Amino acid sequence: IDEFDKMEEGDRTAIHEVMEQQSVSIAKAGITTTLNTRTTVLAAANPLYGRYNPYKSPVENIDLPAALLSRFDLLFLLLDTVDNDKDRQLAIHVCKVHSNYDKQEKRVVDDKLGGEDAPVGSDDTDVLNLGFKAFDANFMRTYIRKAKSYEPMIDDQLQKSIVDAYVSMRDDEKRGDIDSRKSYTTPRTLLAILRLSQAHARARFSEKVEQQDFDEAMRLLKASKESVELSAPAKRGANPLDLVYDIISDLSRRDSVQAADGWVDMAHIVSMAGHKALSREMVIEAIENWESLSVLCQNPERTLVKFIVPPA
C-alpha cells in the first residue's frame, strides 16, 4: 500500500480488523460473513509536511493513529542522509535504467522480427548488468505457494527463549534511557516475534521453528528499533563533543571509509548530526576541539576528517 498516510478514515478503521484479527467482515447483498485474510501488508508513508522531524515520534511524523501503527510487526525509517557510496549507486542505477533498457528491449524485438530465437537462460536477461540472473515470476510464485503450505510449530525449549527475550526487552526499556514515544515493546511485539520466526521457518520449508529462525526474528526487530532510535535528537544535557565523536567513530568503521584510509566525509558527518539536532556550526566546533586535543585531524580543504589513532 503506497501513500498509506493518505488513506481515508473509513479505510483506516476497516484495516484495523484485518491486521489484528487476520479476518475481514463482509456485509453486502444481504450476506454477512467473515473471511480469513492471508495477505501481508507492506505499507509506505511519507512524513508530515514532507520532512521528518526528529523531535517528534513516528506516530506524529507519519500522522497515523498509534493503534494502527503498532499493528505493524516491523517499522523502518528511511531517512535521506548524505552518503557518497549510496548516492553514487543510486545515480548509476537510474542512469542504467535509462541507457540500457531501451537498447535491450529493442534487441529482443529485433530478434523476434528476424526469426532468431534468443538463447534461454542466457546472460542477456540481465538488463541492468547486475551480474546475476534474477528469478522469474513463475519460480517465485511456486516457491511462495510451497512455503505457505507449511505450518511450523514451536517446541517447549524455544518457547522459553521467546518468553525470556520478551521479558528482557520490556525490562531493558524500563531501566534504559529510551524515549518511550519512539520505541516501546507491547504484547503485539510478542506476536510479531512468533510470526517472524514462523515465516523464516516457512522460507526454509521446515515444519519446526528452530533457534536460527528465532535469532533472525530478533535481528529484524533490533534493526527496526535501531532505525527509529537513531532518528532521535540529542538528549537534553548531552555533550555535542561526545555526540560528534560517536558519529565519526561509527562512520569510520565502515568498509568504504577504511578503504579510504579512515577519512570520513564532512558532509556525511553533518548529515548524521542533523538527526541529533546538531547544526553544522556545532559539528565544526566539536571537530576543532577534538583536533586541538590531537584526537582528530582534517585534510587541508577541511572536507575530510579522520582519527589520528583509530578507536578500538
Side-chain angles (χ1 to χ4, degrees):
I1 304 176
D2 197 9
E3 303 290 351
F4 195 70
D5 53 311
K6 311 297 190 300
M7 185 182 297
E8 297 180 358
E9 189 63 31
D11 296 332
R12 289 182 184 179
T13 304
I15 204 173
H16 278 206
E17 177 192 2
V18 175
M19 300 183 66
E20 180 67 19
Q21 308 295 336
Q22 281 81 51
S23 63
V24 56
S25 299
I26 298 176
K28 286 188 177 181
I31 300 176
T32 303
T33 184
T34 301
L35 303 176
N36 293 328
T37 57
R38 299 184 179 91
T39 302
T40 300
V41 179
L42 178 64
N46 294 319
L48 198 61
Y49 307 120
R51 191 73 178 176
Y52 192 87
N53 187 350
Y55 285 99
K56 295 183 178 181
S57 66
V59 177
E60 297 169 326
N61 271 288
I62 305 175
D63 193 24
L64 284 175
L68 178 59
L69 202 59
S70 65
R71 282 172 165 81
F72 287 94
D73 294 340
L74 299 173
L75 175 65
F76 291 96
L77 294 180
L78 304 179
L79 302 178
D80 185 17
T81 58
V82 178
D83 189 332
N84 287 341
D85 294 336
K86 292 183 179 179
D87 294 342
R88 184 177 300 277
Q89 291 176 4
L90 176 62
I92 292 175
H93 174 74
V94 174
C95 291
K96 281 185 177 180
V97 170
H98 288 274
S99 60
N100 289 350
Y101 184 75
D102 293 338
K103 298 178 181 178
Q104 185 72 25
E105 187 178 29
K106 183 177 182 299
R107 189 184 308 162
V108 173
V109 173
D110 292 342
D111 291 342
K112 289 183 178 179
L113 293 177
E116 298 179 0
D117 295 333
V120 179
S122 63
D123 293 337
D124 292 339
T125 56
D126 187 8
V127 178
L128 300 179
N129 296 327
L130 299 176
F132 62 89
K133 179 184 176 183
F135 295 117
D136 58 13
N138 292 330
F139 174 84
M140 293 305 301
R141 290 192 191 97
T142 305
Y143 175 80
I144 294 174
R145 190 182 303 113
K146 177 69 174 177
K148 292 173 82 172
S149 64
Y150 287 85
E151 285 295 335
M153 304 302 293
I154 301 175
D155 58 13
D156 294 338
Q157 183 177 1
L158 195 58
Q159 284 183 18
K160 185 178 183 302
S161 300
I162 295 176
V163 171
D164 292 342
Y166 171 72
V167 173
S168 177
M169 291 170 63
R170 296 273 291 185
D171 189 56
D172 290 343
E173 288 186 0
K174 180 181 178 181
R175 295 183 293 102
D177 189 12
I178 297 178
D179 190 349
S180 60
R181 298 181 312 147
K182 296 178 178 293
S183 177
Y184 50 90
T185 302
T186 66
R188 284 178 179 154
T189 307
L190 180 59
L191 295 176
I193 296 175
L194 297 175
R195 282 192 290 263
L196 292 171
S197 300
Q198 290 177 322
H200 193 266
R202 288 192 185 98
R204 299 187 298 106
F205 296 162
S206 175
E207 296 284 359
K208 179 181 177 182
V209 177
E210 299 179 359
Q211 184 67 34
Q212 59 177 321
D213 304 317
F214 169 67
D215 293 340
E216 180 63 17
M218 294 303 298
R219 186 192 68 82
L220 291 173
L221 283 175
K222 181 180 178 182
S224 174
K225 286 182 176 293
E226 286 179 350
S227 73
V228 176
E229 286 299 322
L230 288 176
S231 69
K235 296 180 176 63
R236 182 173 298 179
N239 191 342
L241 272 71
D242 296 335
L243 295 174
V244 173
Y245 182 94
D246 293 339
I247 292 174
I248 299 176
S249 178
D250 292 339
L251 294 176
S252 63
R253 294 188 178 94
R254 297 188 176 183
D255 295 337
S256 58
V257 174
Q258 293 180 358
D261 197 21
W263 289 103
V264 182
D265 193 347
M266 175 68 79
H268 199 178
I269 300 173
V270 173
S271 177
M272 296 294 292
H275 296 297
K276 300 292 184 181
L278 298 178
S279 63
R280 180 181 179 87
E281 290 73 18
M282 297 174 67
V283 174
I284 294 176
E285 182 180 358
I287 292 176
E288 289 177 348
N289 286 332
W290 285 118
E291 191 175 12
S292 64
L293 297 173
S294 300
V295 176
L296 299 174
C297 64
Q298 301 185 67
N299 65 337
E301 294 79 13
R302 308 186 77 81
T303 57
L304 299 174
V305 181
K306 70 177 294 187
F307 283 100
I308 297 178
V309 177

